[in-house]
Amino acid sequence: MDTFASLRLVTLESLDLSPGYSALGERFVELRDPTSLSEPYLVAFNPDVAELIGLDPAEGERPEFLRLAAGNARFSSIQPYAAIYAGHQFGTFVSQLGDGRAITLGEVRVPDGDRFEWQVKGAGKTAFSRFADGRAVLRSTIREYLCSEAMAGLGIPTTRALAIAGSDEPVFREVPETSAVLTRIAPSHLRFGTFELFHYRGEFDAVKILADYAIERFFPDLAAIADDAERYASFLREVAERTARLMAQWQAVGFAHGVMNTDNMSILGLTLDYGPYGFLEAFDPGFICNHTDAGGRYAFGRQPTIGLWNCKALAAALSSLVAEADADAAMQAYRAAFQTSYLALLQAKFGLSQSRDRDLELFTACFGALQTGGVDHTIFFRALCGLERESTPYDDRVAAFFENRSEWYDWQRAYRTRLESEPCDDATRLAAMRAVNPKYVLRNYLAQRAIEAAQGRDYAELERLHDLLRHPFDEQPEREEYAAPPPDWARAISVSCSS
Ligand code: AMP
Ligand code: MG
């Protein structure tokens, strides 16, 4: 590792900036400045992400930073833009969407060569706002800020959050609320829907421009493939595999995205566009976190299938570049990648260092018992990290979670038998399990508490929660209560797309 890289943290003025994606031309973007937010104040600032993009965290204290974070300024040399895209929303193709409230201020290049788009979300209307106001409410920016950082803490690919600027400027949702702007950072915010827009317009040259752009920047290994057909086929396959691995990670940790429309699917396999997401509490594959998704298209247990559906939509959008047989092979690769990754993640969650033929059966039986008992997903797996091979079978803390104890005891017996063929000792196995089964996840009620405090201009809880979620696998004894199951009032929290 280059230890000097971390020392090369610079001021806002010294960032190495370029237009990035907008250099592709005005077919792909609308050049437009953000709309100023009146009397902004800083709600949150994330030093981790500042460092990621090579920015000195001390810069967060400057009024110049706040102006950028609020959308009240731009980088002087760069023209901001909103990107155009389309997408399948709840299965129906919508021919034109786009950044209706997100504006990219430019692309930052860090000394090691990585590039990051600096985007302000909630920064006012664009050509793609349709009938909406271009704004975001404080509540939704906090939810996105916290969850993107929680996912990063869990080691799951995601866009990142640098800051939130708030304002007392009112915005109207179901009730009047105050507005806020989230500064979001990612190597690229390109979506499946960007490709779909040009494909369905019959602008295949633009599809090729996009694919070339993505391959050259983000898939350097593929850029070296000389044969066009093979290069584009490999691109589709790589995106499909990344998506599959992302789905496996979501399923393993119990994350439900809530709005897996193709315009919310990242071409880099990042978790993108946090709306009505939720972490599983009582285990239930039918868990729907989005109040607006009554049909359960995006229910927790359907995510791997929807991920594949979305990859097929991407394959259709790339059909001018990728032959049908290659697209089919890419979809096959999705299935294989999902299975391999998911199984490996479960293997680790259950503390099994080697795989055996009947492991999947064992896992399925456990999930069945969790579902019948309505057992909390996160709490169960963390408690499993305390189950010693030699402890008395009927005297374990885990049993208390199950109403039907006999189902648990049956499963536990099978599990203990399986553990007998494990080579490592308890201490090693349990430590490895604690490194993959988080103690803390972003439960809705925890986010809600931070939001309510922030609405009263008290950001201490937001900061505390953010800090906790940076290390979700660590025991944090002074914050034990954050690992508790949701209180009764949390059942009333309802999250919809209105953000
Ligand atoms: P989402 O469901 O948040 O991913 O948004 C779907 C589409 O609606 C995207 O094109 C967004 O840019 C747009 N959109 C959502 N909220 C707003 C808003 N308040 N103002 C303008 N556009 C919005
Ligand atoms: Mg979106």
Side-chain angles (χ1 to χ4, degrees), residues 27-28 195 197-210 320:
R27 254 170 121 179
F28 299 91
F195 293 82
L197 179 119
F198 293 102
H199 173 76
Y200 290 105
R201 281 184 176 175
E203 297 181 29
F204 305 125
D205 62 319
V207 174
K208 182 173 180 305
I209 291 170
L210 282 173
S320 57

